[in-house]
Amino acid sequence: ETGVTQTPRHLVMGMTNKKSLKCEQHLGHNAMYWYKQSAKKPLELMFVYSLEERVENNSVPSRFSPECPNSSHLFLHLHTLQPEDSALYLCASSQARGSYEQYFGPGTRLTVT
Amino acid sequence: GQQVMQIPQYQHVQEGEDFTTYCNSSTTLSNIQWYKQRPGGHPVFLIQLVKSGEVKKQKRLTFQFGEAKKNSSLHITATQTTDVGTYFCAVGSGYSTLTFGKGTMLLVSP
């Protein structure tokens, strides 16, 4: 399955670092999503982009900053994270915003030290 | 957003036994989807149900949408070790983004 790719697959960063997660979808979809998955909250929706416009921001701390330069690419910029931000970050895409099926990337396993 | 409850949270079965997970909503749904996430993997779309009372089958998996479109079930007949993973339901209503349940983790012992 290579419809949605994510890089890097693993990331270890200190609390003062700045890093970015990248997601690319090759499915011609118009909506893209960032999710956080941890043991406490299995699938926590963070951001939704539709046609490159951010349409949902679910009370995510400002140390997470998304960017969607075009409908195929999605970034999550990370800055001064906390240890509790350690989790699997999943990107997904769907045909359009709404209740269409979502296609997930393999995720980035993030560890904040 | 939508509220959805998924039960059980966890189930451990012997290979060959059946397994069922349930997804319940307090509101009427436009559709419901099911996803499977293998250990170390990512959620993969399995199926979507749209019609009241709809039943769909995929080999040993049977998916059902309730008559009132407020609940759904996923039943696996004669589980195999390849069925191990977490099964999520995701509910949709209109233009709202899907809301995922907390998932049911299935462990199958040989």
Side-chain angles (χ1 to χ4, degrees):
Chain A
E1 300 173 14
T2 58
V4 182
T5 58
Q6 288 185 245
T7 56
R9 295 294 305 276
H10 301 272
L11 178 63
V12 179
M13 60 185 289
M15 289 190 284
T16 58
N17 291 159
K18 289 184 180 180
K19 296 287 185 184
S20 295
L21 309 184
K22 179 182 176 182
C23 174
E24 184 173 0
Q25 59 97 359
H26 310 272
L27 301 169
H29 288 168
N30 290 319
M32 296 187 77
Y33 311 81
W34 279 118
Y35 288 88
K36 176 184 178 182
Q37 188 174 46
S38 61
K40 292 183 179 180
K41 294 186 179 181
L43 270 175
E44 187 179 357
L45 180 64
M46 301 174 72
F47 302 103
V48 180
Y49 275 83
S50 175
L51 296 172
E52 301 152 40
E53 178 185 354
R54 190 191 312 179
V55 294
E56 284 189 46
N57 176 346
N58 290 329
S59 303
V60 179
S62 59
R63 57 186 183 268
F64 294 91
S65 175
E67 178 189 2
C68 188
N70 55 64
S71 59
S72 297
H73 294 85
L74 186 64
F75 294 88
L76 188 61
H77 304 299
L78 315 173
H79 177 52
T80 58
L81 296 191
Q82 304 298 311
E84 60 264 28
D85 296 322
S86 298
L88 180 68
Y89 288 84
L90 290 160
C91 171
S93 71
S94 65
Q95 181 180 335
R97 181 192 177 193
S99 56
Y100 292 90
E101 65 258 34
Q102 295 184 11
Y103 294 81
F104 286 81
T108 296
R109 174 66 64 183
L110 174 67
T111 302
V112 181
T113 60
Chain B
Q2 294 277 348
Q3 296 289 326
V4 57
M5 180 178 294
Q6 198 172 345
I7 54 173
Q9 192 173 347
Y10 171 85
Q11 188 152 7
H12 185 181
V13 301
Q14 293 293 315
E15 192 171 23
E17 293 181 338
D18 292 356
F19 160 78
T20 305
T21 174
Y22 300 89
C23 187
N24 299 299
S25 171
S26 58
T27 60
T28 302
L29 306 168
S30 59
N31 70 71
I32 192 162
Q33 299 172 17
W34 287 93
Y35 293 74
K36 176 184 178 181
Q37 184 173 17
R38 295 180 185 274
H42 56 276
V44 175
F45 172 77
L46 294 177
I47 208 160
Q48 175 171 281
L49 305 172
V50 178
K51 300 178 182 177
S52 168
E54 188 172 14
V55 177
K56 288 188 176 181
K57 293 190 176 184
Q58 289 180 351
K59 296 183 180 178
R60 294 178 294 104
L61 277 61
T62 301
F63 305 85
Q64 193 162 4
F65 203 4
E67 293 289 342
K69 298 183 72 173
K70 290 184 176 182
N71 56 71
S72 178
S73 64
L74 159 58
H75 179 82
I76 302 178
T77 303
T79 54
Q80 299 176 0
T81 54
T82 53
D83 295 324
V84 165
T86 300
Y87 292 85
F88 293 95
C89 65
V91 300
S93 181
Y95 289 105
S96 298
T97 300
L98 287 177
T99 298
F100 282 82
K102 293 188 175 182
T104 296
M105 183 183 296
L106 172 65
L107 181 62
V108 180
S109 295

Tab-separated table of all heavy atoms in Angstrom, chain A residues 63-112:
chain	number	residue	atom	x	y	z
A	63	ARG	N	2.169	24.262	19.774
A	63	ARG	CA	3.473	23.688	19.465
A	63	ARG	C	3.380	22.717	18.285
A	63	ARG	O	4.392	22.254	17.768
A	63	ARG	CB	4.058	22.980	20.699
A	63	ARG	CG	3.198	21.893	21.289
A	63	ARG	CD	3.854	21.382	22.591
A	63	ARG	NE	3.116	20.281	23.192
A	63	ARG	CZ	2.171	20.427	24.097
A	63	ARG	NH1	1.830	21.656	24.494
A	63	ARG	NH2	1.547	19.373	24.605
A	64	PHE	N	2.148	22.403	17.847
A	64	PHE	CA	1.918	21.635	16.624
A	64	PHE	C	1.375	22.609	15.577
A	64	PHE	O	0.322	23.224	15.786
A	64	PHE	CB	0.889	20.528	16.837
A	64	PHE	CG	1.335	19.455	17.776
A	64	PHE	CD1	1.065	19.553	19.138
A	64	PHE	CD2	2.033	18.351	17.317
A	64	PHE	CE1	1.478	18.564	20.017
A	64	PHE	CE2	2.444	17.357	18.182
A	64	PHE	CZ	2.174	17.463	19.535
A	65	SER	N	2.062	22.712	14.451
A	65	SER	CA	1.652	23.654	13.417
A	65	SER	C	1.548	22.942	12.084
A	65	SER	O	2.550	22.503	11.531
A	65	SER	CB	2.674	24.792	13.332
A	65	SER	OG	2.361	25.652	12.266
A	66	PRO	N	0.329	22.788	11.542
A	66	PRO	CA	0.182	22.087	10.269
A	66	PRO	C	0.385	23.029	9.087
A	66	PRO	O	0.241	24.245	9.190
A	66	PRO	CB	-1.261	21.597	10.333
A	66	PRO	CG	-1.970	22.663	11.100
A	66	PRO	CD	-0.975	23.192	12.107
A	67	GLU	N	0.709	22.421	7.947
A	67	GLU	CA	0.846	23.187	6.710
A	67	GLU	C	0.418	22.297	5.560
A	67	GLU	O	0.800	21.128	5.501
A	67	GLU	CB	2.294	23.627	6.500
A	67	GLU	CG	2.535	24.393	5.208
A	67	GLU	CD	4.017	24.617	4.926
A	67	GLU	OE1	4.860	24.146	5.708
A	67	GLU	OE2	4.317	25.231	3.886
A	68	CYS	N	-0.372	22.837	4.655
A	68	CYS	CA	-0.824	22.082	3.489
A	68	CYS	C	-0.576	22.920	2.245
A	68	CYS	O	-1.447	23.682	1.820
A	68	CYS	CB	-2.311	21.738	3.632
A	68	CYS	SG	-2.941	20.623	2.361
A	69	PRO	N	0.600	22.791	1.616
A	69	PRO	CA	0.940	23.626	0.464
A	69	PRO	C	0.146	23.284	-0.797
A	69	PRO	O	-0.029	24.145	-1.658
A	69	PRO	CB	2.431	23.351	0.278
A	69	PRO	CG	2.640	21.996	0.864
A	69	PRO	CD	1.689	21.885	2.002
A	70	ASN	N	-0.298	22.055	-0.911
A	70	ASN	CA	-1.135	21.640	-2.042
A	70	ASN	C	-1.928	20.409	-1.613
A	70	ASN	O	-1.687	19.864	-0.540
A	70	ASN	CB	-0.290	21.362	-3.293
A	70	ASN	CG	0.799	20.350	-3.039
A	70	ASN	OD1	0.514	19.202	-2.736
A	70	ASN	ND2	2.051	20.778	-3.150
A	71	SER	N	-2.811	19.944	-2.454
A	71	SER	CA	-3.728	18.873	-2.039
A	71	SER	C	-3.036	17.529	-1.864
A	71	SER	O	-3.625	16.594	-1.345
A	71	SER	CB	-4.875	18.733	-3.041
A	71	SER	OG	-4.370	18.454	-4.323
A	72	SER	N	-1.773	17.414	-2.289
A	72	SER	CA	-1.074	16.137	-2.174
A	72	SER	C	-0.132	16.062	-0.981
A	72	SER	O	0.326	14.981	-0.630
A	72	SER	CB	-0.260	15.849	-3.441
A	72	SER	OG	-1.084	15.733	-4.559
A	73	HIS	N	0.186	17.198	-0.399
A	73	HIS	CA	1.184	17.235	0.657
A	73	HIS	C	0.643	17.872	1.933
A	73	HIS	O	-0.095	18.852	1.888
A	73	HIS	CB	2.424	18.017	0.204
A	73	HIS	CG	3.185	17.371	-0.902
A	73	HIS	ND1	2.850	17.542	-2.234
A	73	HIS	CD2	4.246	16.514	-0.875
A	73	HIS	CE1	3.687	16.838	-2.979
A	73	HIS	NE2	4.538	16.206	-2.187
A	74	LEU	N	1.077	17.291	3.035
A	74	LEU	CA	0.669	17.799	4.351
A	74	LEU	C	1.866	17.689	5.282
A	74	LEU	O	2.554	16.665	5.293
A	74	LEU	CB	-0.502	16.978	4.896
A	74	LEU	CG	-1.155	17.432	6.188
A	74	LEU	CD1	-1.818	18.798	6.014
A	74	LEU	CD2	-2.189	16.403	6.649
A	75	PHE	N	2.109	18.746	6.041
A	75	PHE	CA	3.224	18.750	6.977
A	75	PHE	C	2.690	19.004	8.383
A	75	PHE	O	1.646	19.631	8.573
A	75	PHE	CB	4.235	19.847	6.623
A	75	PHE	CG	4.939	19.643	5.320
A	75	PHE	CD1	4.395	20.131	4.135
A	75	PHE	CD2	6.138	18.945	5.262
A	75	PHE	CE1	5.033	19.950	2.921
A	75	PHE	CE2	6.794	18.758	4.050
A	75	PHE	CZ	6.238	19.258	2.885
A	76	LEU	N	3.440	18.522	9.364
A	76	LEU	CA	3.162	18.857	10.760
A	76	LEU	C	4.479	19.329	11.362
A	76	LEU	O	5.412	18.539	11.525
A	76	LEU	CB	2.620	17.651	11.519
A	76	LEU	CG	2.126	17.929	12.934
A	76	LEU	CD1	0.964	18.930	12.914
A	76	LEU	CD2	1.697	16.634	13.625
A	77	HIS	N	4.550	20.622	11.637
A	77	HIS	CA	5.761	21.213	12.203
A	77	HIS	C	5.684	21.126	13.723
A	77	HIS	O	4.664	21.473	14.327
A	77	HIS	CB	5.905	22.666	11.745
A	77	HIS	CG	5.911	22.828	10.258
A	77	HIS	ND1	6.870	22.251	9.446
A	77	HIS	CD2	5.051	23.484	9.428
A	77	HIS	CE1	6.622	22.552	8.184
A	77	HIS	NE2	5.524	23.298	8.144
A	78	LEU	N	6.786	20.666	14.306
A	78	LEU	CA	6.832	20.408	15.735
A	78	LEU	C	7.851	21.327	16.400
A	78	LEU	O	8.979	21.484	15.900
A	78	LEU	CB	7.236	18.951	15.991
A	78	LEU	CG	6.535	17.892	15.136
A	78	LEU	CD1	7.164	16.521	15.373
A	78	LEU	CD2	5.051	17.878	15.425
A	79	HIS	N	7.466	21.913	17.535
A	79	HIS	CA	8.367	22.865	18.202
A	79	HIS	C	8.133	22.834	19.699
A	79	HIS	O	6.990	22.959	20.148
A	79	HIS	CB	8.120	24.274	17.643
A	79	HIS	CG	8.939	25.333	18.312
A	79	HIS	ND1	10.316	25.247	18.462
A	79	HIS	CD2	8.590	26.508	18.887
A	79	HIS	CE1	10.751	26.323	19.074
A	79	HIS	NE2	9.742	27.104	19.347
A	80	THR	N	9.218	22.682	20.463
A	80	THR	CA	9.182	22.633	21.929
A	80	THR	C	8.109	21.685	22.443
A	80	THR	O	7.205	22.057	23.195
A	80	THR	CB	8.973	24.035	22.544
A	80	THR	OG1	7.756	24.613	22.060
A	80	THR	CG2	10.141	24.924	22.211
A	81	LEU	N	8.222	20.434	22.013
A	81	LEU	CA	7.250	19.426	22.430
A	81	LEU	C	7.512	18.964	23.859
A	81	LEU	O	8.586	19.211	24.431
A	81	LEU	CB	7.285	18.233	21.484
A	81	LEU	CG	6.877	18.492	20.045
A	81	LEU	CD1	6.706	17.173	19.296
A	81	LEU	CD2	5.580	19.296	19.957
A	82	GLN	N	6.528	18.267	24.399
A	82	GLN	CA	6.599	17.721	25.740
A	82	GLN	C	6.675	16.198	25.659
A	82	GLN	O	6.229	15.608	24.662
A	82	GLN	CB	5.350	18.133	26.536
A	82	GLN	CG	5.137	19.637	26.594
A	82	GLN	CD	6.276	20.344	27.297
A	82	GLN	OE1	6.683	19.951	28.387
A	82	GLN	NE2	6.806	21.393	26.673
A	83	PRO	N	7.189	15.543	26.680
A	83	PRO	CA	7.245	14.074	26.645
A	83	PRO	C	5.894	13.424	26.388
A	83	PRO	O	5.834	12.382	25.728
A	83	PRO	CB	7.793	13.721	28.039
A	83	PRO	CG	8.641	14.897	28.411
A	83	PRO	CD	7.906	16.092	27.861
A	84	GLU	N	4.814	14.039	26.862
A	84	GLU	CA	3.483	13.443	26.657
A	84	GLU	C	3.021	13.531	25.202
A	84	GLU	O	1.978	12.974	24.831
A	84	GLU	CB	2.438	14.104	27.564
A	84	GLU	CG	2.264	15.594	27.351
A	84	GLU	CD	3.077	16.424	28.323
A	84	GLU	OE1	4.144	15.937	28.781
A	84	GLU	OE2	2.658	17.558	28.616
A	85	ASP	N	3.802	14.217	24.361
A	85	ASP	CA	3.489	14.268	22.929
A	85	ASP	C	4.029	13.044	22.198
A	85	ASP	O	3.769	12.876	20.993
A	85	ASP	CB	4.074	15.538	22.300
A	85	ASP	CG	3.461	16.805	22.870
A	85	ASP	OD1	2.237	16.806	23.142
A	85	ASP	OD2	4.202	17.790	23.066
A	86	SER	N	4.769	12.211	22.879
A	86	SER	CA	5.268	10.978	22.272
A	86	SER	C	4.077	10.111	21.889
A	86	SER	O	3.206	9.825	22.724
A	86	SER	CB	6.170	10.227	23.257
A	86	SER	OG	7.308	11.002	23.596
A	87	ALA	N	4.041	9.702	20.619
A	87	ALA	CA	2.894	8.943	20.114
A	87	ALA	C	3.160	8.555	18.667
A	87	ALA	O	4.201	8.903	18.101
A	87	ALA	CB	1.611	9.776	20.194
A	88	LEU	N	2.214	7.855	18.080
A	88	LEU	CA	2.236	7.578	16.648
A	88	LEU	C	1.390	8.643	15.964
A	88	LEU	O	0.233	8.842	16.330
A	88	LEU	CB	1.659	6.193	16.366
A	88	LEU	CG	1.612	5.767	14.893
A	88	LEU	CD1	3.030	5.561	14.356
A	88	LEU	CD2	0.791	4.482	14.739
A	89	TYR	N	1.979	9.351	15.007
A	89	TYR	CA	1.254	10.389	14.284
A	89	TYR	C	0.901	9.846	12.904
A	89	TYR	O	1.763	9.499	12.103
A	89	TYR	CB	2.080	11.675	14.209
A	89	TYR	CG	2.132	12.348	15.559
A	89	TYR	CD1	3.077	11.957	16.505
A	89	TYR	CD2	1.191	13.311	15.915
A	89	TYR	CE1	3.093	12.523	17.771
A	89	TYR	CE2	1.197	13.883	17.175
A	89	TYR	CZ	2.145	13.489	18.106
A	89	TYR	OH	2.153	14.040	19.365
A	90	LEU	N	-0.392	9.787	12.662
A	90	LEU	CA	-0.908	9.211	11.426
A	90	LEU	C	-1.487	10.287	10.530
A	90	LEU	O	-2.219	11.172	10.984
A	90	LEU	CB	-2.015	8.193	11.742
A	90	LEU	CG	-1.570	6.901	12.415
A	90	LEU	CD1	-2.745	6.225	13.098
A	90	LEU	CD2	-0.945	5.963	11.402
A	91	CYS	N	-1.160	10.183	9.268
A	91	CYS	CA	-1.750	11.044	8.247
A	91	CYS	C	-2.772	10.200	7.484
A	91	CYS	O	-2.587	8.987	7.308
A	91	CYS	CB	-0.656	11.535	7.313
A	91	CYS	SG	-1.245	12.420	5.845
A	92	ALA	N	-3.834	10.818	7.063
A	92	ALA	CA	-4.841	10.125	6.264
A	92	ALA	C	-5.376	11.060	5.193
A	92	ALA	O	-5.260	12.288	5.311
A	92	ALA	CB	-5.987	9.615	7.144
A	93	SER	N	-5.960	10.476	4.158
A	93	SER	CA	-6.606	11.284	3.133
A	93	SER	C	-7.932	10.643	2.758
A	93	SER	O	-8.159	9.448	3.000
A	93	SER	CB	-5.712	11.425	1.889
A	93	SER	OG	-5.626	10.202	1.183
A	94	SER	N	-8.824	11.448	2.193
A	94	SER	CA	-10.089	10.932	1.696
A	94	SER	C	-10.489	11.744	0.472
A	94	SER	O	-9.967	12.833	0.220
A	94	SER	CB	-11.182	10.992	2.767
A	94	SER	OG	-11.470	12.332	3.113
A	95	GLN	N	-11.429	11.193	-0.265
A	95	GLN	CA	-11.863	11.814	-1.518
A	95	GLN	C	-12.253	13.270	-1.303
A	95	GLN	O	-11.928	14.145	-2.105
A	95	GLN	CB	-13.051	11.025	-2.063
A	95	GLN	CG	-13.591	11.534	-3.372
A	95	GLN	CD	-14.767	10.695	-3.848
A	95	GLN	OE1	-14.899	9.531	-3.484
A	95	GLN	NE2	-15.617	11.280	-4.663
A	96	ALA	N	-12.981	13.518	-0.241
A	96	ALA	CA	-13.405	14.876	0.100
A	96	ALA	C	-13.632	14.932	1.595
A	96	ALA	O	-13.612	13.905	2.282
A	96	ALA	CB	-14.671	15.254	-0.660
A	97	ARG	N	-13.867	16.130	2.093
A	97	ARG	CA	-14.186	16.281	3.500
A	97	ARG	C	-15.553	15.640	3.763
A	97	ARG	O	-16.428	15.648	2.919
A	97	ARG	CB	-14.250	17.764	3.849
A	97	ARG	CG	-14.548	18.022	5.314
A	97	ARG	CD	-14.891	19.457	5.539
A	97	ARG	NE	-15.246	19.708	6.923
A	97	ARG	CZ	-15.815	20.810	7.353
A	97	ARG	NH1	-16.065	21.800	6.505
A	97	ARG	NH2	-16.107	20.966	8.624
A	98	GLY	N	-15.713	15.069	4.946
A	98	GLY	CA	-16.978	14.442	5.292
A	98	GLY	C	-16.757	12.996	5.674
A	98	GLY	O	-15.688	12.637	6.155
A	99	SER	N	-17.748	12.173	5.482
A	99	SER	CA	-17.672	10.792	5.965
A	99	SER	C	-17.259	9.804	4.887
A	99	SER	O	-17.737	8.676	4.849
A	99	SER	CB	-19.002	10.404	6.602
A	99	SER	OG	-20.058	10.601	5.682
A	100	TYR	N	-16.339	10.206	4.024
A	100	TYR	CA	-15.759	9.280	3.049
A	100	TYR	C	-14.726	8.408	3.739
A	100	TYR	O	-14.136	8.803	4.748
A	100	TYR	CB	-15.075	10.058	1.931
A	100	TYR	CG	-16.022	10.832	1.055
A	100	TYR	CD1	-16.356	12.148	1.358
A	100	TYR	CD2	-16.589	10.251	-0.085
A	100	TYR	CE1	-17.229	12.859	0.556
A	100	TYR	CE2	-17.457	10.960	-0.885
A	100	TYR	CZ	-17.773	12.262	-0.557
A	100	TYR	OH	-18.640	12.974	-1.335
A	101	GLU	N	-14.480	7.216	3.172
A	101	GLU	CA	-13.476	6.357	3.787
A	101	GLU	C	-12.115	7.027	3.717
A	101	GLU	O	-11.795	7.741	2.778
A	101	GLU	CB	-13.423	4.972	3.123
A	101	GLU	CG	-12.987	4.970	1.686
A	101	GLU	CD	-14.147	4.832	0.745
A	101	GLU	OE1	-15.248	5.356	1.060
A	101	GLU	OE2	-13.963	4.207	-0.312
A	102	GLN	N	-11.332	6.752	4.767
A	102	GLN	CA	-10.025	7.369	4.876
A	102	GLN	C	-8.931	6.340	4.630
A	102	GLN	O	-9.039	5.185	5.011
A	102	GLN	CB	-9.859	8.008	6.251
A	102	GLN	CG	-10.824	9.169	6.473
A	102	GLN	CD	-10.618	9.873	7.789
A	102	GLN	OE1	-9.630	9.661	8.491
A	102	GLN	NE2	-11.541	10.750	8.142
A	103	TYR	N	-7.869	6.801	3.990
A	103	TYR	CA	-6.710	5.973	3.704
A	103	TYR	C	-5.545	6.516	4.525
A	103	TYR	O	-5.187	7.690	4.401
A	103	TYR	CB	-6.396	5.990	2.216
A	103	TYR	CG	-7.473	5.329	1.397
A	103	TYR	CD1	-8.633	6.018	1.058
A	103	TYR	CD2	-7.367	3.997	1.002
A	103	TYR	CE1	-9.648	5.413	0.348
A	103	TYR	CE2	-8.368	3.382	0.275
A	103	TYR	CZ	-9.501	4.090	-0.047
A	103	TYR	OH	-10.507	3.475	-0.753
A	104	PHE	N	-4.987	5.654	5.359
A	104	PHE	CA	-3.951	6.073	6.291
A	104	PHE	C	-2.549	5.767	5.774
A	104	PHE	O	-2.320	4.776	5.067
A	104	PHE	CB	-4.134	5.349	7.638
A	104	PHE	CG	-5.287	5.867	8.444
A	104	PHE	CD1	-6.581	5.458	8.174
A	104	PHE	CD2	-5.078	6.769	9.478
A	104	PHE	CE1	-7.654	5.929	8.925
A	104	PHE	CE2	-6.141	7.251	10.234
A	104	PHE	CZ	-7.429	6.835	9.950
A	105	GLY	N	-1.620	6.623	6.164
A	105	GLY	CA	-0.219	6.342	5.952
A	105	GLY	C	0.301	5.450	7.067
A	105	GLY	O	-0.418	5.156	8.024
A	106	PRO	N	1.563	5.013	6.957
A	106	PRO	CA	2.128	4.094	7.957
A	106	PRO	C	2.416	4.752	9.299
A	106	PRO	O	2.622	4.054	10.295
A	106	PRO	CB	3.421	3.613	7.302
A	106	PRO	CG	3.793	4.715	6.372
A	106	PRO	CD	2.505	5.285	5.869
A	107	GLY	N	2.431	6.081	9.352
A	107	GLY	CA	2.644	6.778	10.608
A	107	GLY	C	4.101	7.115	10.886
A	107	GLY	O	5.021	6.522	10.311
A	108	THR	N	4.283	8.084	11.763
A	108	THR	CA	5.595	8.433	12.299
A	108	THR	C	5.562	8.180	13.791
A	108	THR	O	4.729	8.752	14.503
A	108	THR	CB	5.945	9.912	12.048
A	108	THR	OG1	6.060	10.163	10.651
A	108	THR	CG2	7.261	10.280	12.745
A	109	ARG	N	6.449	7.314	14.248
A	109	ARG	CA	6.548	7.047	15.696
A	109	ARG	C	7.464	8.094	16.295
A	109	ARG	O	8.653	8.114	16.024
A	109	ARG	CB	7.108	5.645	15.924
A	109	ARG	CG	7.395	5.297	17.385
A	109	ARG	CD	6.148	5.222	18.212
A	109	ARG	NE	5.248	4.159	17.786
A	109	ARG	CZ	4.056	3.920	18.318
A	109	ARG	NH1	3.613	4.676	19.291
A	109	ARG	NH2	3.315	2.933	17.857
A	110	LEU	N	6.886	8.986	17.092
A	110	LEU	CA	7.617	10.102	17.671
A	110	LEU	C	7.908	9.856	19.146
A	110	LEU	O	7.005	9.513	19.915
A	110	LEU	CB	6.812	11.392	17.531
A	110	LEU	CG	7.382	12.633	18.226
A	110	LEU	CD1	8.689	13.069	17.571
A	110	LEU	CD2	6.365	13.783	18.201
A	111	THR	N	9.165	10.056	19.526
A	111	THR	CA	9.557	9.980	20.926
A	111	THR	C	10.191	11.313	21.312
A	111	THR	O	11.148	11.754	20.658
A	111	THR	CB	10.569	8.851	21.172
A	111	THR	OG1	9.990	7.609	20.739
A	111	THR	CG2	10.922	8.751	22.650
A	112	VAL	N	9.648	11.938	22.352
A	112	VAL	CA	10.173	13.215	22.841
A	112	VAL	C	10.917	12.957	24.145
A	112	VAL	O	10.344	12.412	25.100
A	112	VAL	CB	9.043	14.228	23.072
A	112	VAL	CG1	9.625	15.565	23.555
A	112	VAL	CG2	8.232	14.434	21.798
